[in-house]
């Protein structure tokens, strides 16, 4: 009986210590929300383009958003857990549709990750994420051209959203009036 009580108390102490430890911190949300360039690798023009394109994306695409975050280091976290923590803490995309994406670049660690909301993960599975990284991102990223890598990736992602939400007019071009998405990129 005494051994069981001691074991149970030991387990409680361990659990209390684990839950008392603070979670690893990620960068705070930026004022611009859609872009948080903590690594300082983007031009003012690219930041404005990311913001403007997201504003145009949200209404016709059920609140969808693509947030881009750059950091130098992940502070001991894995890319996927860092990106998912940002995604959840910042509330990326529509809460109802869970249709956001968060692109994370860790420039000094040469790592990147794209987190996709559960509401669109069936239409944009991990295999598609890998394909997009290979086609639009890695070559420029590996060359240290983070702006080109991000711009190319975002162009493809915004285009995917336009297709997914069918925000094209009858002529095959993107809708312009009434808040329709014009491509941004």
């Amino acid at each position: 009986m005494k051994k069981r009580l001691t074991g149970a108390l030991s387990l409680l102490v361990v659990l209390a210590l684990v839950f008392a430890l603070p979670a690893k911190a990620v960068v705070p949300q930026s004022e611009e929300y859609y872009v948080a360039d903590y690594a300082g690798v983007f031009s003012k023009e690219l930041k404005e383009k990311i913001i403007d394109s997201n504003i145009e994306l949200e209404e016709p695409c059920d609140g969808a958003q693509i947030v881009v975050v750059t950091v130098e280091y992940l502070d001991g976290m894995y890319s996927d857990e860092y990106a998912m923590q940002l995604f959840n803490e910042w509330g990326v995309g529509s809460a109802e549709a869970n249709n956001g994406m968060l692109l994370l670049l860790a420039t000094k660690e040469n790592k990147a990750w794209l987190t996709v909301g559960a509401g669109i993960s069936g239409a944009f599975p991990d295999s598609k994420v890998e394909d997009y990284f290979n086609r639009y991102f890695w070559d420029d990223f590996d060359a240290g051209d983070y702006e080109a890598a991000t711009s190319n990736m975002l162009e493809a992602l915004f285009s995917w959203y336009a297709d997914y939400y069918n925000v094209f007019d009858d002529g095959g071009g993107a809708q312009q009036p009434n808040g329709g998405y014009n491509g941004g990129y």
Side-chain angles (χ1 to χ4, degrees):
M1 176 76 167
K2 198 174 192 178
K3 287 183 183 180
R4 279 191 208 154
L5 185 58
T6 303
L9 286 173
S10 296
L11 180 61
L12 286 174
V13 168
V14 168
L15 288 174
L17 287 173
V18 167
F19 288 109
L21 294 174
K24 292 185 179 184
V26 295
V27 294
Q29 186 173 324
S30 68
E31 287 183 28
E32 294 84 14
Y33 180 69
Y34 302 111
V35 60
D37 184 22
Y38 288 102
V41 295
F42 294 156
S43 67
K44 180 181 176 187
E45 293 77 22
L46 179 59
K47 291 177 192 177
E48 289 172 357
K49 196 172 195 180
I50 293 169
I51 294 166
D52 292 344
S53 295
N54 268 288
I55 291 169
E56 293 176 14
L57 177 74
E58 283 187 61
E59 187 178 333
C61 296
D62 197 20
Q65 302 167 329
I66 303 173
V67 173
V68 182
V69 179
T70 69
V71 295
E72 291 183 341
Y73 298 100
L74 298 170
D75 296 328
M77 294 176 73
Y78 292 109
S79 304
D80 61 333
E81 70 179 350
Y82 197 102
M84 184 59 78
Q85 188 171 336
L86 288 173
F87 185 89
N88 289 329
E89 285 182 9
W90 294 14
V92 177
S94 162
E96 295 79 32
N98 199 358
N99 60 350
M101 293 185 184
L102 185 135
L103 178 62
L104 172 68
L105 288 73
T107 58
K108 300 286 185 184
E109 294 185 37
N110 200 36
K111 294 181 180 177
W113 192 265
L114 180 68
T115 295
V116 176
I120 57 172
S121 63
F124 206 96
D126 292 344
S127 60
K128 186 171 285 231
V129 170
E130 184 178 345
D131 178 53
Y132 271 50
F133 269 120
N134 289 333
R135 289 172 56 197
Y136 305 110
F137 187 83
W138 288 127
D139 287 343
D140 289 321
F141 182 82
D142 289 341
D145 192 347
Y146 307 116
E147 185 148 330
T150 302
S151 185
N152 292 337
M153 179 68 120
L154 289 176
E155 181 177 346
L157 294 174
F158 281 115
S159 181
W160 178 86
Y161 272 112
D163 287 343
Y164 182 75
Y165 283 98
N166 196 27
V167 288
F168 290 100
D169 62 21
D170 293 337
Q175 294 179 0
Q176 298 286 328
N178 303 326
Y181 178 64
N182 75 3
Y185 276 87

